Amino acid sequence: MHQVRDQFPGLHENELIYLDNAATTQKPDVVLKAMDDFYKTSNANVHRGAHRLSDLATRAFEGARDKVQAFINAPAREEVLFTRGTTESMNLLAQSLGQHLLQPGDEILIDTWAHHACIVPWQQIAAKTGAKLVPIPLLNDGELDQSAYQSLLSEKTKVVSLTHISNALGKRAPIERMIPKAKAQGAYVVIDGAQAVAHEAVDVQALGCDFYAFSGHKCYGPTGIGVLWGKRALLEQMPPYQYGGEMIDTVSFEGTQFNTLPYKFEAGTPAIAEAIGLGRALEFIQELGIDRIAAHEAALMAKAKNELAKIGKLTLLAAKGSNHGALSFNVTGEHHQDIGILLDQEGIAVRCGHHCCQPLMQSLGLKGSCRVSFALYNTEEEVDAFVSALADIVEFLDD
């Protein structure tokens, strides 16, 4: 663990216990070095240059695409689109797939766990096309209601948007069972994998979904870069999302012919250094072993849940069963933001608020919560320090 932690300069530059990993992860030296090396040794624009630096940059950039393909077991590299993150991926899908597919009366099913970045794009395209956004409700324990999901599926269902792992609750959707049910109705299935790729192996072919999106900064990569994977046949049918350089083949004042995949959806100069950094981050995860990472994080979560349950006035949200990476809680009678500020004063970073999941919070009857989230570099000692500090805060506020 010391060897792992030594690779993350952000853990040492700041004297705090960082437990806000569901918001963004710290970056290892190998990712920072990969980006730094690009700017120092091969900084150039990609694809169209005739000189050596452009060739080096293109090879590194497209090499990152190959790394993503291998990481999620995509059938073809052309199906891997670089975006600015999950948010842009969802906007691309809503505008492009929605424009191509949706008609008045069609329905889009979306889970109540969904992040605003998933809800709002589908909500807006539904308003434009006359389609309807239909939420999949929760059970009392915070899990998705599978019986309700089955009953909501119908011939009207054109898109099913599912959260792989909830960013607010750390609950994992049984997407392996939910995807085939949606496909049986002829619906296209979109998976928000932003909170999943750092915590478990993802195989898009085994899942059988149509689209899978994630962000680089939540899996030890840089900000400003993300991935949308989609099945080639669907991507080829979908119109471009943005227009400009790189996504065109030929242009005249009479008309334009668009480029082939994946470039049809990558308008303008891409985030070259960020893509290279993301590719290196995924390699870093593979080198450590995703199964080892998952086992380590599960042990931390089990310890945290066991110890937090001993603190009076503390309510753990959706803590029955497994929580993956993240766990939310509230202190009875106290505002979640106050708890977060007091923990920060003890050198512990957690997240407080609605976690960009206001419909979820409304369904739980809450305005927000505190969230603790773990990563591969967190330790049992940090869990102990967090629990101890929180217990002291609760006792202090109770006096």
Side-chain angles (χ1 to χ4, degrees):
M1 178 53 67
H2 287 300
Q3 292 176 345
V4 170
R5 287 177 62 84
D6 284 347
Q7 297 180 64
F8 289 85
L11 298 178
H12 307 293
E13 293 293 327
N14 304 285
E15 294 184 3
L16 58 78
I17 294 173
Y18 188 77
L19 301 177
D20 191 22
N21 297 285
T24 195
T25 51
Q26 298 298 315
K27 321 305 174 192
D29 281 320
V30 290
V31 169
L32 303 177
K33 184 178 185 301
M35 297 174 69
D36 190 46
D37 286 348
F38 164 74
Y39 281 124
K40 286 180 176 178
T41 66
S42 52
N43 179 45
N45 215 326
V46 293
H47 298 135
R48 296 181 294 278
H51 54 84
R52 181 175 61 86
L53 279 185
S54 180
D55 180 63
L56 289 173
T58 300
R59 289 174 182 270
F61 177 72
E62 291 299 334
R65 198 186 308 273
D66 294 333
K67 293 173 184 178
V68 174
Q69 178 194 356
F71 190 78
I72 62 173
N73 193 31
R77 67 186 313 277
E78 293 80 13
E79 297 175 330
V80 175
L81 313 182
F82 284 125
T83 65
R84 289 181 296 158
T86 308
T87 297
E88 186 178 39
S89 296
M90 291 301 172
N91 276 273
L92 187 162
L93 276 176
Q95 294 298 322
S96 187
L97 180 67
Q99 176 182 327
H100 170 70
L101 175 70
L102 296 173
Q103 302 291 330
D106 289 343
E107 292 183 348
I108 305 159
L109 294 193
I110 188 167
D111 59 75
T112 301
W113 293 343
H115 192 282
H116 295 167
C118 297
I119 298 172
V120 179
W122 290 117
Q123 189 179 65
Q124 297 305 303
I125 198 65
K128 290 180 180 178
T129 60
K132 182 181 179 182
L133 189 67
V134 180
I136 304 166
L138 301 180
L139 297 170
N140 291 335
D141 61 1
E143 300 282 0
L144 296 177
D145 188 334
Q146 295 301 311
S147 177
Y149 170 65
Q150 182 67 66
S151 65
L152 288 170
L153 286 167
S154 72
E155 69 278 359
K156 295 181 180 179
T157 308
K158 302 303 179 186
V159 175
V160 175
S161 178
L162 299 174
T163 306
H164 198 161
I165 293 178
S166 165
N167 75 304
L169 303 178
K171 305 303 291 185
R172 186 189 187 281
I175 58 174
E176 293 84 357
R177 301 202 311 270
M178 298 178 77
I179 292 171
K181 292 178 180 179
K183 300 302 295 178
Q185 291 290 340
Y188 296 114
V189 181
V190 177
I191 305 295
D192 168 9
Q195 297 294 332
V197 291
H199 303 291
E200 66 172 75
V202 172
D203 184 333
V204 294
Q205 294 190 67
L207 288 175
C209 56
D210 297 293
F211 301 94
Y212 195 98
F214 66 93
S215 299
H217 72 99
K218 297 193 179 187
C219 54
Y220 312 102
T223 56
I225 188 72
V227 169
L228 173 63
W229 169 80
K231 290 181 177 177
R232 181 198 294 268
L234 297 177
L235 292 174
E236 288 179 340
Q237 294 174 36
M238 289 160 49
Y241 167 59
Q242 295 177 322
Y243 304 93
E246 191 62 42
M247 57 77 58
I248 56 93
D249 183 21
T250 59
V251 175
S252 71
F253 285 114
E254 287 71 40
T256 296
Q257 182 173 340
F258 301 128
N259 208 340
T260 57
L261 293 175
Y263 312 113
K264 183 175 80 169
F265 292 101
E266 295 180 353
T269 297
I272 305 169
E274 288 78 6
I276 293 168
L278 171 58
R280 189 64 188 93
L282 299 183
E283 282 185 325
F284 176 79
I285 291 173
Q286 290 172 317
E287 289 163 3
L288 290 179
I290 192 67
D291 290 340
R292 293 175 62 199
I293 293 170
H296 171 69
E297 292 174 347
L300 296 180
M301 180 62 71
K303 180 180 179 64
K305 289 170 68 173
N306 182 61
E307 296 301 318
L308 289 171
K310 301 174 183 178
I311 300 177
K313 296 185 66 177
L314 193 72
T315 300
L316 301 179
L317 305 181
K320 182 180 178 181
S322 299
N323 299 80
H324 301 264
L327 177 68
S328 281
F329 63 92
N330 276 320
V331 177
T332 303
E334 306 296 339
H335 196 282
H336 49 270
Q337 196 69 38
D338 293 336
I339 301 300
I341 291 171
L342 291 171
L343 282 169
D344 180 62
Q345 292 175 356
E346 297 298 318
I348 298 169
V350 299
R351 178 72 39 163
C352 300
H354 52 63
H355 315 298
C356 294
C357 295
Q358 286 179 294
L360 169 61
M361 291 298 153
Q362 291 165 4
S363 73
L364 297 174
L366 302 171
K367 292 184 178 179
S369 69
C370 295
R371 181 188 69 195
V372 58
S373 50
F374 303 114
L376 61 86
Y377 41 65
N378 291 125
T379 66
E380 291 190 1
E381 291 76 13
E382 289 181 320
V383 173
D384 288 336
F386 158 64
V387 172
S388 177
L390 184 56
D392 289 345
I393 289 169
V394 172
E395 183 178 357
F396 168 76
L397 294 172
D398 201 32
D399 288 342

